[in-house]
């Protein structure tokens, strides 16, 4: 078993890539990438005056959304701090028969991206990855970096976060998720534990030390691979998200409760999807 704080951290390059593949399997089987990309482009169509020709996905991991965008002729750029994720994203793109540009960079601070269009119209921060921006300074720095690469007057940032109710669920110890994903090619299955009851939560910083585990079993139910990690994640309320967005020089155009144009954010929503537009 390899223990690390991030995927691939503290392990060999090969082990890191294998862990990235397990993460890809665990997270991609429950997502509907074509439909979600439809949502992104429909949102952009509502708030921008011109079509999206270039996008940037932050903390892109396996880059499944960027790959789907590339299939539609969009120039898709991706960014992640983990080498294993960059390698996997490029392999996934090659397997899908498309090209993406993938940079190994910190999403908190980046000042330029190699876009043929010059600047991008849409920045994506998905899968709750904004929760890895654990300080106010990190969040503001990330959005200000986004502003640098967005086309002036024609750019959006779309941020997917857990529903704010999760923040208060941690206080009541109603915390943690578990699920199973199956690899259709091999029949192997991965059991995922994403947070556990008792994970350390700092009520002053709203940062939880989230324990996660990925256990891979073959068809005979024999354990093939096990990986555990602890990752600090910040839990955001709706009002502090709004305050940080304003501090960063952006405005929240719309809050959705899912990747659905007809679902506004409410207390019954599954998640929080914020559409941000820079102020100029």
């Amino acid at each position: 078993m390899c223990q690390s704080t991030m995927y691939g951290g503290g392990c060999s390059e090969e082990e890191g890539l294998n862990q990235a593949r397990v993460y890809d399997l665990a997270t991609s089987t429950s997502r509907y990438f074509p439909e979600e990309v439809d949502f992104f482009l429909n949102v952009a169509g509502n708030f921008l005056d011109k079509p999206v020709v270039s996008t940037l996905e932050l903390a892109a991991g396996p880059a499944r959304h960027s790959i789907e965008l590339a299939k539609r002729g969009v120039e898709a750029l991706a960014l992640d701090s983990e080498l294993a994720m960059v390698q996997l994203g490029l392999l996934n793109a090659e397997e899908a028969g498309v090209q993406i540009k993938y940079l190994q960079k910190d999403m908190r601070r980046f000042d330029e991206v190699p876009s043929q269009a010059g600047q991008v119209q849409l920045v994506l921060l998905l899968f709750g990855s904004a929760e890895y921006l654990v300080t106010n300074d990190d969040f503001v720095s990330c959005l200000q970096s986004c502003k640098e690469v967005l086309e002036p007057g024609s750019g959006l940032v779309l941020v997917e976060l857990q529903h704010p109710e999760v923040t208060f669920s941690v206080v009541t110890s109603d915390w943690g998720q578990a699920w199973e994903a199956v690899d259709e090619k091999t029949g192997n299955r991965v059991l995922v534990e994403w947070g556990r009851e008792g994970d350390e939560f700092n009520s002053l910083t709203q940062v939880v030390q989230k324990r996660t585990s990925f256990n891979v079993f073959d068809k005979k139910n024999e354990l093939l691979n096990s990986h555990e990690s602890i990752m600090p994640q910040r839990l955001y309320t709706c009002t502090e998200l709004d305050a940080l967005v304003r501090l960063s020089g952006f405005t929240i155009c719309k809050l959705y409760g899912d990747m659905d144009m007809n679902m506004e954010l409410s207390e019954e929503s599954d998640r929080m999807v914020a559409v941000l537009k820079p102020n100029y």
Side-chain angles (χ1 to χ4, degrees):
M1 178 176 68
C2 179
Q3 291 184 312
S4 63
T5 55
M6 293 294 285
Y7 302 102
C11 302
S12 69
E13 185 172 315
E14 181 179 358
E15 288 175 320
L17 185 56
N18 287 335
Q19 289 170 13
R21 287 193 173 102
V22 171
Y23 172 85
D24 188 17
L25 172 63
T27 56
S28 63
T29 54
S30 61
R31 302 290 292 241
Y32 303 95
F33 300 106
E35 290 84 351
E36 292 181 11
V37 168
D38 285 342
F39 171 75
F40 304 154
L41 296 179
N42 287 333
V43 167
N46 275 5
F47 293 102
L48 298 180
D49 296 329
K50 59 195 324 185
V52 171
V53 298
S54 184
T55 61
L56 172 64
E57 183 180 2
L58 304 181
R64 294 292 180 182
H65 290 102
S66 291
I67 290 168
E68 179 62 29
L69 284 159
K71 289 179 179 178
R72 304 184 188 204
V74 175
E75 181 191 27
L77 296 89
L79 179 154
D80 201 290
S81 63
E82 294 289 328
L83 176 61
M85 288 300 185
V86 175
Q87 293 173 328
L88 179 60
L90 291 171
L91 289 171
N92 286 342
E94 182 179 358
E95 183 177 334
V98 297
Q99 287 189 335
I100 64 172
K101 296 178 182 177
Y102 209 142
L103 310 174
Q104 186 181 4
K105 285 181 177 287
D106 190 332
M107 69 173 169
R108 294 173 297 180
R109 298 174 187 86
F110 56 95
D111 54 5
E112 60 181 19
V113 291
S115 169
Q116 293 180 351
Q119 291 173 302
V120 304
Q121 292 81 45
L122 182 61
V123 177
L124 302 169
L125 185 51
L126 308 171
F127 285 101
S129 295
E131 293 160 13
Y132 297 117
L133 302 168
V134 296
T135 68
N136 290 344
D137 287 344
D138 285 348
F139 191 97
V140 171
S141 178
C142 176
L143 278 190
Q144 289 179 341
S145 294
C146 291
K147 195 171 184 178
E148 291 296 317
V149 302
L150 282 172
E151 181 177 336
S154 188
L156 295 174
V157 178
L158 194 148
V159 183
E160 176 195 4
L161 290 163
Q162 295 184 94
H163 194 280
E165 184 181 10
V166 174
T167 302
F168 303 100
S169 298
V170 170
V171 177
T172 60
S173 297
D174 181 16
W175 176 245
Q177 294 176 293
W179 70 91
E180 177 181 294
V182 178
D183 187 336
E184 294 181 356
K185 294 180 180 179
T186 65
N188 294 342
R189 60 191 179 91
V190 55
L191 298 182
V192 184
E193 190 177 21
W194 197 270
R196 300 174 188 170
E197 183 176 344
D199 282 353
E200 180 185 341
F201 177 68
N202 187 316
S203 61
L204 300 181
T205 62
Q206 293 177 201
V207 174
V208 61
Q209 302 296 326
K210 185 180 289 186
R211 290 176 289 177
T212 63
S213 66
F214 299 85
N215 295 295
V216 183
F217 296 86
D218 64 14
K219 292 180 178 179
K220 298 179 180 179
N221 207 34
E222 294 183 0
L223 182 65
L224 300 178
N225 182 27
S226 179
H227 171 63
E228 293 184 358
S229 62
I230 298 176
M231 290 179 284
Q233 288 185 246
R234 177 174 177 177
L235 305 178
Y236 290 89
T237 65
C238 195
T239 52
E240 69 185 341
L241 174 67
D242 181 56
L244 286 169
V245 166
R246 291 170 185 260
L247 183 63
S248 305
F250 282 75
T251 298
I252 297 179
C253 300
K254 186 79 173 180
L255 288 172
Y256 293 97
D258 207 336
M259 303 287 190
D260 185 336
M261 297 291 291
N262 298 315
M263 186 176 294
E264 295 189 3
L265 180 67
S266 70
E267 290 188 331
E268 288 73 39
S269 303
D270 292 330
R271 57 187 124 182
M272 177 166 63
V273 183
V275 182
L276 318 179
K277 197 164 189 176
N279 303 324
Y280 292 103

